[in-house]
Amino acid sequence: MDKSRTPARNRRTSRRRTGLLASLAAALTAAVAGAPPAQAQAAPPAAVACPAELDGRATCYTGQDIHGAYYAIAVPAHWNGSLVVHAHGGPDLGTGSDPARSVDDLARWSVMVKEGYAWAGSSYRRGGYGTRMAAEDTENVRRLFVENFGGPRRTYVHGQSWGGDVAAKVVEVYGRRGGPYDGALLTSGVLGGGSRGYDYRVDLRVVYQYYCRNMPRPAEPPYPLWQGLRADSTLTTAGLRARLQECTGYASAPQERTALQQRNLDDILAVTGVPERTLESHLRFAVFTFRDIVHDRLGGRNPFSNLGVRYSGSHDDTALNAGVERFAADPTAVRDLSYDSDLTGRVSIPVLTMHAIDDPTAFVEHEAAYRAALRGAHRDRYLVQTFTHESEHSALSDAEYANSVAALDGWVRTGRKPTPRAIAGSCAAFDRTYATGCFYDPDFHPGSYASRVRPRPGGLRWPAMTAAQETRWSRIDGVGIAP
């Protein structure tokens, strides 16, 4: 689960967001007066006050596209002529588009605007899972920018967390050579795709239930754990936290936990490899987002499997493996999730990635999966990967973000592919402006995805979806996840 709207950044933007949203509401009300909904949604961007981070630096706009997705745009006062199109992480859950999301993202990624790039980001037309939908909405906001502000000199797509998968999908679907995109920056990306990228959360879901037996409780209606949660369950995030605390005491100091709580916590962490500090967020994903994927996107079909997986690291592995719930995936559900979110590796433009080595949410081994996918497609010549000694997922150093987009731009302009060492060396110049630090390790290479996540049968071959499979599946009526 992406925690991309961090509390610190929210506090910095909360004063302005109210004004921004009020301006958006007023502009949309004026636009829709006397007009049918389709025309109202196609209204031109409305000028609004910029977030505090961009005071005096840019002109900002908001609006809603023809599919109902809210968006935000910023054009810097000293525009360098190029555009960064942003794909946000998550996925956020909910039925409609969140007008606050793109506004928050603009504030968060203001470093791109400060570096002279115009910026455009979509909130997506709805919450919930849907990588191709989000990719289409990202492409739509690029087109809106061109229609209203003219064609940029160069266009880069930037994706963060799950948005890294979305942006990578943008590259494969819309980013052919000579197309509208010149390069891509993927930061903290969930690049293993949907059919394999959540296997460690599948493991967490079943291991948690083996030890805790409270989601569901014995007296509650049972359901298979691959559902995440019953479709009609009223469990809230607060309720999940209470059950996790009841079983593991995770929110308590170690000396305040019971012996059983401590053993449960130790076993869950040791078996799954999930960091203690993000245990709750991973479990939320394995409960609420799995429910969205299964019930709302796949019609109740199961895309997950743990057959053949041997769990280890507990105080009694034999009992764990004998007692943990097992299930096999529905092949059509796997196909639809794979078609929606897996990556073929067929890229034709420069792609630069940056990932914290100790990312507690999207493990750094996602980068190994992405490289393997591009290598399997014979396209790894288009890829440069960088790694930093940071321990965060949602907010790395602004100096590094500025350095990354500059390195990508230089690669595109000159045709000279940068090395990780050269990128690390150029960061200091940006840190003189942002003073947030440079933490690159140009010699780091992540282990394989299977070194971190227990592979399922066939899970060692990459890409998870070949270009030939994608073409073949695309001819199936209703394939994938509906927008």
Side-chain angles (χ1 to χ4, degrees):
M1 178 78 75
D2 178 32
K3 298 181 184 177
S4 56
R5 285 177 281 179
T6 62
R9 290 182 184 268
N10 274 347
R11 285 195 297 270
R12 293 212 310 266
T13 62
S14 59
R15 293 188 302 275
R16 283 302 183 94
R17 190 172 74 178
T18 301
L20 260 171
L21 295 177
S23 299
L24 171 60
L28 290 176
T29 300
V32 302
Q39 292 177 335
Q41 291 176 341
V48 295
C50 286
E53 291 85 347
L54 295 175
D55 268 348
R57 293 175 176 261
T59 305
C60 297
Y61 306 84
T62 56
Q64 197 172 15
D65 74 11
I66 59 172
H67 297 295
Y70 289 98
Y71 63 84
I73 289 172
V75 180
H78 302 288
W79 184 24
N80 64 15
S82 293
L83 169 68
V84 172
V85 184
H86 178 69
H88 76 69
D92 298 336
L93 300 181
T95 55
S97 183
D98 177 6
R101 179 67 203 234
S102 55
V103 172
D104 286 351
D105 286 339
L106 173 56
R108 180 185 171 199
W109 299 104
S110 61
V111 61
M112 304 294 184
V113 183
K114 293 173 184 176
E115 287 299 303
Y117 295 87
W119 186 96
S122 172
S123 292
Y124 310 149
R125 69 191 72 179
R126 61 158 172 79
Y129 208 84
T131 305
R132 285 182 183 265
M133 173 205 71
E136 182 182 356
D137 291 342
T138 301
E139 165 62 4
N140 285 342
V141 78
R142 183 201 65 80
R143 294 180 183 181
L144 273 165
F145 182 94
V146 172
E147 290 168 5
N148 290 277
F149 303 97
R153 186 178 297 131
R154 284 173 289 275
T155 301
Y156 303 116
V157 60
H158 169 223
Q160 163 70 22
S161 188
W162 177 61
D165 190 43
V166 173
K169 186 66 74 175
V170 168
V171 170
E172 294 186 359
V173 175
Y174 306 103
R176 303 299 168 87
R177 184 179 297 175
Y181 295 93
D182 298 282
L185 174 62
L186 313 179
T187 56
S188 309
V190 180
L191 300 174
S195 73
R196 299 179 189 172
Y198 305 125
D199 281 346
Y200 59 96
R201 286 168 171 160
V202 173
D203 295 338
L204 172 61
R205 187 68 182 91
V206 299
V207 170
Y208 174 86
Q209 182 64 11
Y210 172 79
Y211 289 110
C212 299
R213 304 190 187 281
N214 63 12
M215 277 196 296
R217 298 186 189 278
E220 293 175 331
Y223 54 88
L225 297 180
W226 50 262
Q227 291 185 357
L229 194 63
R230 288 191 345 266
D232 60 350
S233 173
T234 58
L235 182 72
T236 63
T237 55
L240 179 145
R241 285 193 294 268
R243 295 188 188 205
L244 179 59
Q245 172 67 11
E246 167 193 297
C247 175
T248 68
Y250 82 108
S252 301
Q255 64 272 19
E256 296 173 355
R257 297 169 187 152
T258 68
L260 180 58
Q261 284 177 328
Q262 187 64 60
R263 193 176 76 171
N264 287 341
L265 181 61
D266 289 344
D267 279 348
I268 291 168
L269 298 178
V271 173
T272 65
V274 170
E276 183 174 347
R277 62 194 171 109
T278 51
L279 174 60
E280 180 198 324
S281 64
H282 283 292
L283 188 60
R284 287 202 312 267
F285 195 105
V287 172
F288 298 112
T289 306
F290 278 15
R291 176 171 66 174
D292 173 81
I293 292 172
V294 169
H295 292 294
D296 296 335
R297 313 304 159 201
L298 295 175
R301 292 171 295 147
N302 173 25
F304 306 122
S305 172
N306 67 341
L307 294 184
V309 174
R310 169 142 185 98
Y311 298 105
S312 61
S314 72
H315 76 278
D316 188 342
D317 290 347
T318 300
L320 171 62
N321 283 280
V324 74
E325 185 173 317
R326 303 280 181 176
F327 38 80
D330 178 330
T332 67
V334 176
R335 178 202 66 199
D336 286 355
L337 183 58
S338 180
Y339 181 78
D340 180 74
S341 58
D342 283 346
L343 302 169
T344 67
R346 289 287 299 273
V347 305
S348 304
I349 59 175
V351 178
L352 175 64
T353 74
M354 181 172 68
H355 215 118
I357 294 170
D358 192 27
D359 186 329
T361 299
F363 301 151
V364 72
E365 289 80 9
H366 276 275
E367 297 290 339
Y370 190 56
R371 176 169 286 281
L374 267 65
R375 185 178 293 124
H378 308 291
R379 301 298 179 94
D380 53 320
R381 65 187 180 276
Y382 292 106
L383 178 65
V384 173
Q385 294 177 300
T386 61
F387 302 94
T388 70
H389 281 293
E390 291 169 279
S391 301
E392 298 301 325
H393 171 67
S394 297
L396 305 184
S397 163
D398 274 356
E400 292 168 349
Y401 289 126
N403 184 47
S404 295
V405 73
L408 177 63
D409 183 59
W411 182 5
V412 169
R413 285 186 295 101
T414 67
R416 293 193 294 271
K417 183 178 180 179
T419 65
R421 190 166 300 280
I423 294 172
S426 62
C427 183
F430 294 94
D431 199 40
R432 285 193 285 272
T433 297
Y434 296 102
T436 52
C438 297
F439 307 100
Y440 290 96
D441 182 347
D443 298 317
F444 178 80
H445 299 282
S448 69
Y449 190 70
S451 71
R452 184 67 180 263
V453 181
R454 293 173 176 86
R456 277 55 176 166
L460 297 177
R461 294 190 301 272
W462 297 91
M465 173 181 65
T466 66
Q469 282 177 313
E470 181 182 42
T471 299
R472 187 166 62 251
W473 289 344
S474 70
R475 302 188 182 108
I476 300 172
D477 185 41
V479 71
I481 290 175

